[in-house]
Amino acid sequence: MSALAALFRFRPVVLTVSAAALIPVLTSPSAAAESAGAGTVAASERVLKDEVVLTAGQGGVTKVKETIVYRFAGRKGFERTFRTRSHESLSEDRVWKLGNLRASSPDGGPTKVSTSSEGLKTTVEVSGAKELTGDRTVVLEYDLRGAITPMGAAEELRWPVIGGWKVPLDEAKATVDAGAMIRSVNCFTGPIGSTIGCTQYYTNHTHTQGVYAQQGMLPGEYVTVVAGLPAGTTGGKAIYERRHTVATAFSVNGVTGGALAGLLVLLVGGVIALYLLRGRDARVVGKKAAEGDQAPLAGAEFEPPDGVRPGQIGTLIDEQADVIDVTATIVDLAVRGYLLIEEEDRAVTGRLDWTLRRLDRPQVDLLPYERILLDALLTAPDGSGRAAVKLSELGGTFATKLAQVRSAMYDDVVKQGWFARRPDTVRSRWTLAGILVTLLGIAGTVALALTTEWALAGLALIIAGAALAYGGQYMPAKTARGATVLAHTIGFRAFLERGAIPDGDAAASRQRIALFSRFLPYAVVFDTVPKWAETVKDAGEQGADNLYWYEGPAEWDLSKFAESMRTFTLATSGSISQSRGM
């Protein structure tokens, strides 16, 4: 190095040293206290000297020997913090690994070494058996990996070799021994990442050692040394580790990819299973639906296909015992002579209401759910029987009984052989299983996201559980017999939707009103009352002003029946909904 170069090299040294000398003067007491950092350290404690020798070896292993002269004031040891990790990207960290740590002391200093890591730092604690005062020398040795980085045609050794103390440091010195010619040196002081140059740094006359020095350091400051080496000097490489974050937790890997593939297979299998179950129903329905598209006759009487009742049809079609199914059953009970429905005169009462009146007829042909429903209608809240009840009085009194009606309707479709199991039970079991799987998936996803990179496996479980809960609504499957009955029912609905009775059918012509009444409850289930009511609209013009099961107020005739039945079904369903909350 020429004298001129040496002059320019050391010119900043004078300024740096002067600034270092002024720091204790310019620093306020509060700032100094803050700089002292965490932990209780006696104000008189300090590092008098910290001298380090780094020897770069093959494989990128750097041997470090650090000689520390520490002034104790009643503590058993000291702590030093190393920066051993930095975030290189959202999912990757560069790491420096300290190994084979050991301490010795020629003058009775502490020698027990322990380490702990938190975040980006590793804390090395050197402690002894007794409290110490005065100056002690401690030699700390360790192996360092990850400090050497290939950089094109060179290798760079960079390491914050001195610092991380909780006390001030008076004098720091470091030497890098590369065993090869050092191409360049640099040195920085201050916090990690600082670009402030050290007091002094240079290479020896053989250019095989880099020498670095810094005078006066505050707690928490570091000396970072840099040495440029020829390529292949050590063969060392930077060490990178995947950092566990939300991004990495949900990454695609062998485990998560397999879980997602399994989920896809599960979903496809579920679709195929549903197709097979529903497809069978659809094939039977498509083949036999036309058979029911006619006015059904049973001897001289009109009967729906297969003798199926309105509540049964409603439960069979959508696999649920709905409000409208119960309402249609009430109308059916009236048509069959168990009830008389009386529409009150709104002009007299001031509101629209109906009275359901019991008729004296044996209940021998009632199905269990029909008997439960009839008893619920005509049983007072105190348990006594009653001859009649206003529709407006039903709200709030049906909760228990109506639940029994619905349960009995589900039992009935199983008894008829249309379902192997109760549809509501099948839905509930699948939905419950789906909810449990979803909850398990949520808990698993959280646990996996916090600890592993397999969180997508938990997410797949959530999706599977949700699909299971949703698909469970479609899992009730009809038997072949149930599908056949449904086919006839679909044809019957087409007949009702046309709302036309063939004029050439003598029986239908003679019993137009009877036919209309018999099929009206089914029209309620199919929501075709307005169209079906057209079949008897002209009967009001021919002098018929009432049905045998439905009585309207004064000046009422069958031409007004469609609107009356529409409002009746709405009012009945409303009363049931208030009591059931369905």
Side-chain angles (χ1 to χ4, degrees):
M1 181 183 299
S2 66
L4 181 60
L7 175 62
F8 282 98
R9 168 75 71 175
F10 292 107
R11 176 172 292 180
V13 172
V14 177
L15 296 176
T16 306
V17 172
S18 300
L22 291 173
I23 287 174
V25 178
L26 298 177
T27 304
S28 66
S30 59
E34 184 177 351
S35 298
T40 303
V41 180
S44 59
E45 287 197 3
R46 62 193 311 106
V47 178
L48 301 178
K49 186 176 182 179
D50 193 345
E51 185 171 349
V52 183
V53 177
L54 300 93
T55 304
Q58 289 299 312
V61 178
T62 302
K63 301 287 186 179
V64 183
K65 182 176 182 180
E66 182 174 4
T67 302
I68 304 162
V69 180
Y70 195 95
R71 177 165 291 170
F72 288 92
R75 294 203 308 145
K76 294 182 179 180
F78 55 76
E79 291 181 357
R80 220 201 115 186
T81 301
F82 293 83
R83 181 69 171 269
T84 54
R85 183 177 294 269
S86 68
H87 298 326
E88 296 294 303
S89 67
L90 290 175
S91 60
E92 191 173 57
D93 285 351
R94 179 172 180 177
V95 298
W96 294 264
K97 296 186 176 181
L98 306 180
N100 196 23
L101 272 84
R102 55 200 183 276
S104 60
S105 176
D107 53 12
T111 58
K112 181 180 178 182
V113 180
S114 62
T115 63
S116 62
S117 296
E118 182 178 359
L120 305 178
K121 298 179 179 180
T122 296
T123 300
V124 174
E125 182 178 1
V126 181
S127 59
K130 60 181 180 179
E131 295 179 352
L132 300 171
T133 58
D135 301 344
R136 295 290 191 278
T137 299
V138 176
V139 179
L140 180 65
E141 297 178 78
Y142 59 90
D143 296 337
L144 172 65
R145 290 176 172 82
I148 297 177
T149 308
M151 301 187 70
E155 292 181 353
E156 181 184 83
L157 187 155
R158 179 185 291 260
W159 176 239
V161 65
I162 298 173
W165 292 101
K166 294 184 178 182
V167 297
L169 186 151
D170 295 341
E171 181 182 352
K173 182 179 180 181
T175 302
V176 173
D177 188 350
M181 183 174 289
I182 297 178
R183 294 182 173 183
S184 62
V185 293
N186 211 336
C187 182
F188 305 98
T189 186
I192 297 294
S194 170
T195 58
I196 300 174
C198 298
T199 304
Q200 187 180 22
Y201 51 95
Y202 57 91
T203 59
N204 66 353
H205 66 285
T206 61
H207 297 283
T208 58
Q209 288 186 338
V211 181
Y212 312 81
Q214 175 64 32
Q215 300 295 322
M217 293 173 57
L218 295 175
E221 291 186 333
Y222 289 85
V223 168
T224 300
V225 301
V226 183
L229 312 177
T233 299
T234 68
K237 294 182 179 180
I239 301 173
Y240 294 94
E241 290 184 355
R242 192 171 178 84
R243 185 169 76 256
H244 184 70
T245 63
V246 174
T248 59
F250 289 90
S251 60
V252 178
N253 51 47
V255 174
T256 57
L260 293 175
L263 171 62
L264 180 61
V265 171
L266 177 65
L267 294 179
V268 171
V271 170
I272 293 174
L274 284 175
Y275 172 78
L276 293 176
L277 293 173
R278 297 294 178 173
R280 180 199 61 196
D281 293 352
R283 290 190 294 272
V284 174
V285 169
K287 181 179 179 181
K288 295 185 174 291
E291 298 178 5
D293 188 5
Q294 54 186 310
L297 288 172
E301 299 292 332
F302 296 99
E303 293 291 343
D306 303 306
V308 181
R309 296 181 182 173
Q312 293 175 318
I313 283 183
T315 307
L316 178 65
I317 289 176
D318 60 6
E319 299 154 357
Q320 296 194 53
D322 296 321
V323 173
I324 196 65
D325 303 334
V326 180
T327 299
T329 300
I330 293 175
V331 176
D332 188 51
L333 289 173
V335 171
R336 288 159 55 199
Y338 294 96
L339 291 172
L340 176 63
I341 302 175
E342 299 175 346
E343 181 179 340
E344 297 188 1
D345 192 340
R346 187 172 185 177
V348 176
T349 62
R351 64 175 182 175
L352 193 61
D353 204 353
W354 289 261
T355 297
L356 306 180
R357 192 174 303 280
R358 181 195 295 271
L359 297 179
D360 188 14
R361 178 172 178 172
Q363 300 182 8
V364 293
D365 64 338
L366 289 182
L367 296 175
Y369 76 87
E370 294 174 323
R371 186 175 293 108
I372 294 172
L373 176 59
L374 189 62
D375 289 343
L377 290 172
L378 298 173
T379 299
D382 61 1
S384 61
R386 53 189 174 188
V389 62
K390 292 185 182 296
L391 193 61
S392 59
E393 297 175 354
L394 290 178
T397 64
F398 260 51
T400 302
K401 288 292 184 180
L402 203 54
Q404 296 177 11
V405 172
R406 297 185 69 210
S407 180
M409 293 174 78
Y410 287 124
D411 286 337
D412 180 78
V413 293
V414 174
K415 183 178 179 181
Q416 299 296 330
W418 300 339
F419 294 90
R421 298 176 184 82
R422 286 176 47 139
D424 61 328
T425 301
V426 173
R427 278 192 299 271
S428 297
R429 287 177 178 175
W430 281 96
T431 301
L432 179 59
I435 291 174
L436 291 176
V437 171
T438 301
L439 293 176
L440 180 62
I442 292 173
T445 299
V446 172
L448 291 172
L450 292 175
T451 58
T452 71
E453 297 181 358
W454 303 340
L456 276 181
L459 189 60
L461 200 61
I462 294 176
I463 297 173
L468 199 63
Y470 178 78
Q473 305 307 306
Y474 300 93
M475 291 310 294
K478 302 175 184 66
T479 62
R481 180 177 179 181
T484 301
V485 174
L486 176 64
H488 290 170
T489 297
I490 297 300
F492 183 40
R493 179 171 64 185
F495 165 71
L496 294 180
E497 287 175 344
R498 286 200 308 275
I501 300 176
D503 293 334
D505 191 329
S509 299
R510 291 192 304 270
Q511 303 180 43
R512 178 180 294 267
I513 293 179
L515 175 65
F516 164 78
S517 298
R518 186 68 190 89
F519 292 164
L520 180 64
Y522 301 92
V524 172
V525 170
F526 297 135
D527 195 24
T528 59
V529 170
K531 188 69 176 178
W532 184 242
E534 293 291 327
T535 61
V536 294
K537 185 175 182 179
D538 59 350
E541 301 172 357
Q542 301 172 6
D545 58 356
N546 277 300
L547 299 172
Y548 66 90
W549 57 272
Y550 190 100
E551 293 185 359
E555 308 301 326
W556 183 92
D557 59 41
L558 291 179
S559 64
K560 303 174 183 176
F561 179 74
E563 179 62 20
S564 292
M565 182 52 55
R566 185 187 70 83
T567 54
F568 173 77
T569 54
L570 288 175
T572 303
S573 297
S575 295
I576 295 174
S577 297
Q578 290 175 10
S579 62
R580 278 284 302 146
M582 289 194 298

